[in-house]
């Protein structure tokens, strides 16, 4: 069997695993139970008292409730702030605890499918926090998953890829998602921007102020209140929009008997789907697509975590003028990097053209080279390194490499940051 293609949804309350089955080309849920019915795995870690045995999920809860273990939760938030937890006199770093959790999480599919290799691993998290992302990359590397096989995406992107992996009639117009969890109520809206080639698919995300604690669903009166709140949100968000499909996910929608009014509204002339593993499955679809020579999604995908602009520069290559793409619209900002060397020809600046994915209006950016030595034309070689701090912030680093023995390198460097949305 080839290495596994996995999507893992990591959240403070629960995590989920999805495996991409290359035989039926479907993403499948993987649970802790033999029949995979236990797909929601609480993101908690428990240390057995008196030894170094560690447990996750419901097992962690069980040992903690029996008084035989010490439990720590909210592992993603703990990693984001670089926190620690002390157990039996030993202080554990957040990264160490998260690694213990993820290591045991990965053992579930590795054991189920009897393999030791992971070909592609895609993590999806609610918010693309650079601290958490760097932490996950280091953890995966220590767990034996190579850097080029690990990708990190937002829930927004997971939703996008999950939807466009379904029948096109489900997202021909617009599609949306309500995610109701312990941490809040999140709304995602997908739209297709036509009239451009390649076609643009865009998803917007917002955390709604009308969130409520899931504890109120435990009483009949609380359920009615929650139903009223959701009805109000749906009427406001879906008003006059042609929605082909509505998706419901999160622990709040594990049962829907409390949301009769909301369901009646969203089911009117729309196809509605409820389930728990949407984000992990979206990540698994991306894991499979990463293995293909050419993508099966011929679109520019714009969402949180993806660059909304194409950045290019004019250059002469093989005697011909051309626009050299430095960063393409729809690229994952965390992975968008360029390292290019070129020779200046009567230029005192490095200039870029910025083009939005959904708008032909272009803007210009320029990095003056006043800090570099003045030399004759074609006597300065420059190394240019481009990376992104987030999806709309580009870092450009220019290094004077000189030109052979005649014009040795000055060692000068220029670094600039540009906000492309300005």
């Amino acid at each position: 069997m080839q290495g596994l293609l996995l999507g893992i949804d990591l959240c403070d309350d629960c995590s989920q695993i999805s495996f991409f089955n290359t035989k039926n080309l479907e993403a499948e849920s993987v649970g802790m139970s033999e029949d995979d019915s236990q797909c929601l795995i609480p993101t908690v870690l428990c240390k057995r008292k008196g030894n170094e045995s560690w447990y996750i999920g419901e097992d962690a809860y069980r040992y903690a409730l029996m008084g035989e273990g010490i439990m720590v939760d909210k592992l993603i938030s703990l990693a984001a702030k670089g926190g620690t937890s002390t157990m039996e006199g030993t202080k554990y770093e957040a990264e160490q605890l998260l690694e213990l959790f993820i290591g045991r999480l990965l053992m579930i599919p590795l054991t189920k499918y009897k393999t030791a290799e992971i070909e592609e691993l895609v993590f999806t998290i609610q918010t693309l926090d650079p601290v958490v992302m760097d932490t996950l990359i280091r953890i995966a590397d220590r767990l034996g998953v190579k850097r080029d096989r690990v990708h990190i995406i937002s829930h927004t992107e997971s939703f996008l890829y999950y939807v466009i992996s379904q029948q096109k009639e489900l997202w021909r117009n617009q599609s949306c998602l309500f995610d109701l969890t312990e941490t809040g109520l999140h709304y995602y809206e997908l739209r297709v921007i036509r009239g451009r080639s390649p076609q643009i698919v865009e998803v917007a995300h917002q955390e709604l102020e009308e969130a409520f604690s899931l504890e109120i669903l435990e009483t009949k009166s609380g359920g009615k209140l929650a139903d009223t709140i959701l009805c109000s949100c749906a009427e406001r968000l879906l008003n006059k929009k042609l929605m082909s499909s509505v998706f419901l996910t999160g622990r709040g929608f594990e049962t829907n008997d409390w949301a009769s009014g909301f369901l009646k509204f969203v089911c009117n002339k729309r196809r509605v789907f409820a389930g728990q593993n949407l984000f992990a499955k979206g990540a698994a679809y991306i894991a499979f697509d990463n293995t293909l020579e050419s993508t099966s999604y011929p679109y520019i995908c714009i969402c949180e975590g993806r660059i909304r602009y194409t950045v290019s520069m004019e250059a002469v290559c093989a005697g011909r003028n051309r626009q050299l793409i430095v960063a393409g619209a729809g690229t994952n900002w965390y992975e968008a990097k360029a390292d290019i060397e070129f020779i200046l020809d009567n230029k005192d600046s490095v200039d870029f053209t910025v083009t939005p994915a959904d708008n032909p209006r272009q803007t210009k950016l320029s990095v003056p080279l006043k800090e570099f030595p003045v030399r004759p034309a074609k006597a300065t070689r420059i190394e240019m390194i481009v990376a992104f701090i987030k999806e709309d912030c580009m870092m450009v680093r220019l290094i004077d490499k000189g030109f052979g023995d005649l014009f040795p390198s000055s060692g000068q460097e220029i670094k600039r940051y540009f906000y492309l949305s300005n």
Side-chain angles (χ1 to χ4, degrees):
M1 179 179 184
Q2 65 178 10
L4 298 181
L5 307 175
L6 299 177
I8 294 184
D9 179 20
L10 288 175
C11 298
D12 264 342
D13 56 351
C14 286
S15 296
Q16 299 180 71
I17 310 168
S18 188
F19 156 78
F20 189 86
N21 189 329
T22 55
K23 293 180 180 178
N24 60 17
L25 299 181
E26 291 290 342
E28 302 173 355
S29 299
V30 181
M32 293 191 72
S33 56
E34 288 188 9
D35 60 358
D36 291 331
S37 59
Q38 192 180 329
C39 293
L40 282 172
I41 303 169
T43 310
V44 294
L45 184 68
C46 181
K47 179 186 180 298
R48 192 83 177 268
K49 290 181 179 178
N51 58 51
E52 286 296 314
S53 297
W54 296 86
Y55 302 90
I56 66 171
E58 297 295 344
D59 290 339
Y61 278 135
R62 185 171 63 256
Y63 282 108
L65 288 172
M66 291 189 302
E68 297 181 12
I70 305 166
M71 194 177 74
V72 58
D73 60 2
K74 301 187 184 306
L75 298 175
I76 311 304
S77 295
L78 195 66
K81 61 185 180 184
T84 61
S85 180
T86 301
M87 301 179 182
E88 296 187 302
T90 301
K91 182 162 67 174
Y92 296 90
E93 299 292 333
E95 183 168 330
Q96 184 181 4
L97 295 170
L98 187 57
E99 182 176 343
L100 286 166
F101 177 81
I102 292 175
R104 281 151 181 78
L105 202 64
L106 289 176
M107 284 306 300
I108 298 171
L110 290 174
T111 301
K112 178 181 176 67
Y113 298 107
K114 298 179 175 59
T115 181
E117 184 182 356
I118 296 175
E119 185 173 352
E120 284 285 328
L121 174 59
V122 179
F123 290 110
T124 178
I125 53 180
Q126 177 70 65
T127 303
L128 293 178
D129 184 322
V131 173
V132 175
M133 297 170 77
D134 290 343
T135 298
L136 292 175
I137 292 295
R138 291 193 297 269
I139 287 173
D141 182 62
R142 289 195 295 269
L143 292 174
V145 187
K146 295 180 181 178
R147 172 64 186 91
D148 60 352
R149 297 185 178 187
V150 182
H151 306 273
I152 304 168
I153 62 173
S154 65
H155 277 182
T156 311
E157 186 169 344
S158 294
F159 170 61
L160 188 156
Y161 276 90
Y162 177 83
V163 173
I164 63 176
S165 298
Q166 310 306 310
Q167 296 175 351
K168 199 162 187 176
E169 64 187 49
L170 295 181
W171 53 280
R172 189 178 303 278
N173 297 305
Q174 287 180 274
S175 181
C176 70
L177 165 69
F178 289 89
D179 180 28
L180 180 57
T181 71
E182 297 282 359
T183 60
L185 175 60
H186 297 263
Y187 175 74
Y188 303 80
E189 187 172 287
L190 179 149
R191 69 186 182 112
V192 179
I193 302 175
R194 295 183 172 84
R196 297 184 66 87
S197 182
Q199 203 169 49
I200 299 174
V201 183
E202 181 179 33
V203 174
H205 160 244
Q206 56 180 307
E207 184 173 0
L208 302 180
E209 296 179 355
E210 297 92 337
F212 50 83
S213 170
L214 299 188
E215 292 179 357
I216 72 171
L217 302 180
E218 297 174 2
T219 65
K220 188 174 182 179
S221 60
K224 286 184 177 180
L225 175 60
D227 189 28
T228 301
I229 293 172
L230 277 185
C231 279
S232 176
C233 290
E235 289 171 3
R236 171 172 57 84
L237 294 166
L238 307 185
N239 184 39
K240 297 182 180 179
K241 292 177 181 176
L242 190 60
M243 288 287 172
S244 301
S245 57
V246 178
F247 294 86
L248 310 176
T249 194
R251 298 195 76 166
F253 289 119
E254 280 190 287
T255 61
N256 300 319
D257 51 355
W258 57 271
S260 57
F262 169 73
L263 290 174
K264 182 179 179 181
F265 178 82
V266 297
C267 288
N268 184 24
K269 298 180 181 179
R270 307 177 187 94
R271 297 185 66 178
V272 179
F273 304 87
Q276 290 305 316
N277 216 0
L278 183 150
F279 295 126
K281 286 186 175 181
Y285 282 119
I286 294 178
F288 173 64
D289 197 61
N290 288 339
T291 67
L292 304 179
E293 290 187 7
S294 59
T295 180
S296 54
Y297 303 103
Y299 317 106
I300 294 177
C301 297
I302 302 298
C303 60
E304 180 185 357
R306 294 272 172 168
I307 302 170
R308 303 181 65 93
Y309 309 86
T310 292
V311 181
S312 62
M313 60 186 295
E314 189 173 336
V316 178
C317 299
R320 298 178 59 185
N321 291 330
R322 56 173 291 191
Q323 284 294 119
L324 181 66
I325 303 299
V326 176
T331 305
N332 185 312
W333 72 263
Y334 192 73
E335 299 176 357
K337 296 177 176 64
D339 192 338
I340 303 168
E341 288 195 2
F342 53 87
I343 297 172
L344 292 178
D345 187 4
N346 288 317
K347 293 280 291 183
D348 58 5
S349 65
V350 175
D351 305 313
F352 301 96
T353 299
V354 180
T355 308
D358 56 353
N359 191 322
R361 180 180 54 86
Q362 296 180 332
T363 57
K364 302 292 184 180
L365 301 175
S366 183
V367 182
L369 302 176
K370 296 178 181 179
E371 299 166 47
F372 284 178
V374 177
R375 300 191 183 104
K378 299 183 180 180
T380 297
R381 183 166 56 96
I382 288 179
E383 180 181 9
M384 180 179 72
I385 299 170
V386 175
F388 281 75
I389 310 305
K390 51 185 180 179
E391 56 250 42
D392 66 341
C393 183
M394 180 177 73
M395 183 276 292
V396 178
R397 182 176 165 218
L398 303 174
I399 305 168
D400 173 30
K401 307 290 282 189
F403 196 81
D405 295 333
L406 291 176
F407 300 98
S409 168
S410 67
Q412 291 283 350
E413 293 188 12
I414 300 173
K415 183 183 285 188
R416 294 289 185 272
Y417 294 88
F418 296 100
Y419 281 88
L420 304 182
S421 55
N422 289 346

